[in-house]
Amino acid sequence: MKAAFKAKDYFDLRNNTDSVDYLFVKSNGKLEKIIFDEVLFIKGMENYVEVYTPARKIITHSTLRAFAEKLPPRKFMQTHKSYIVANNKITSIEGNMLHIGTFEVPISRQLKEQVMHALINQGR
């Protein structure tokens, strides 16, 4: 029974990620709070993830895939095998690059059509 309740709680949490607006990650021996609305983009580097916000860069031990599972899917999208961006932070698109403030994030050839479709139809 205990395992069933734990599974139900996990399932409810996975399906209700939009109600949670932050997450804690371990970085430099302490837990850092990452507020989803502050995230510009996330860069994966093997077994580490860099989370970029306007004020700071947080590095944590995780794979990009594992980190992506904790993000609300309506607010973030993967644009490249190593990058996830916050949809509302994109300022422009030029060729295969997204501009987010002063940063440039690549769009892979495999995901370009999917990314463009998602951005163009986002307000609908």
Side-chain angles (χ1 to χ4, degrees):
M1 197 65 155
K2 190 174 179 182
F5 283 125
K6 188 174 182 179
K8 182 188 178 312
D9 289 343
Y10 176 78
F11 181 76
D12 290 344
L13 180 65
R14 290 284 304 139
N15 288 331
N16 199 14
T17 55
D18 285 343
S19 66
V20 179
D21 60 350
Y22 65 89
L23 113 102
F24 280 93
V25 296
K26 190 171 186 176
S27 177
N28 292 328
K30 61 182 176 180
L31 289 175
E32 295 271 355
K33 185 176 185 177
I34 297 174
I35 300 170
F36 295 140
D37 288 338
E38 293 179 0
V39 174
L40 299 174
F41 65 95
I42 300 152
K43 180 180 178 182
M45 303 179 331
E46 300 262 335
N47 292 324
Y48 290 90
V49 173
E50 293 179 340
V51 180
Y52 289 81
T53 70
R56 60 192 174 145
K57 174 175 79 170
I58 300 166
I59 300 173
T60 186
H61 185 71
S62 175
T63 63
L64 189 65
R65 178 175 287 170
F67 199 86
E69 290 176 1
K70 300 173 186 174
L71 299 172
R74 288 191 175 119
K75 294 183 179 184
F76 295 91
M77 82 170 114
Q78 189 157 1
T79 62
H80 186 273
K81 70 177 185 172
S82 300
Y83 289 89
I84 296 173
V85 300
N87 300 342
N88 65 340
K89 300 293 195 259
I90 299 168
T91 54
S92 65
I93 304 167
E94 183 178 347
N96 285 342
M97 298 300 276
L98 295 173
H99 296 271
I100 301 173
T102 59
F103 297 101
E104 289 186 340
V105 175
I107 305 172
S108 71
R109 280 184 256 141
Q110 292 85 358
L111 295 174
K112 184 163 185 171
E113 187 175 322
Q114 180 182 338
V115 168
M116 297 303 286
H117 183 337
L119 290 175
I120 291 169
N121 295 320
Q122 190 167 6
R124 297 177 191 172

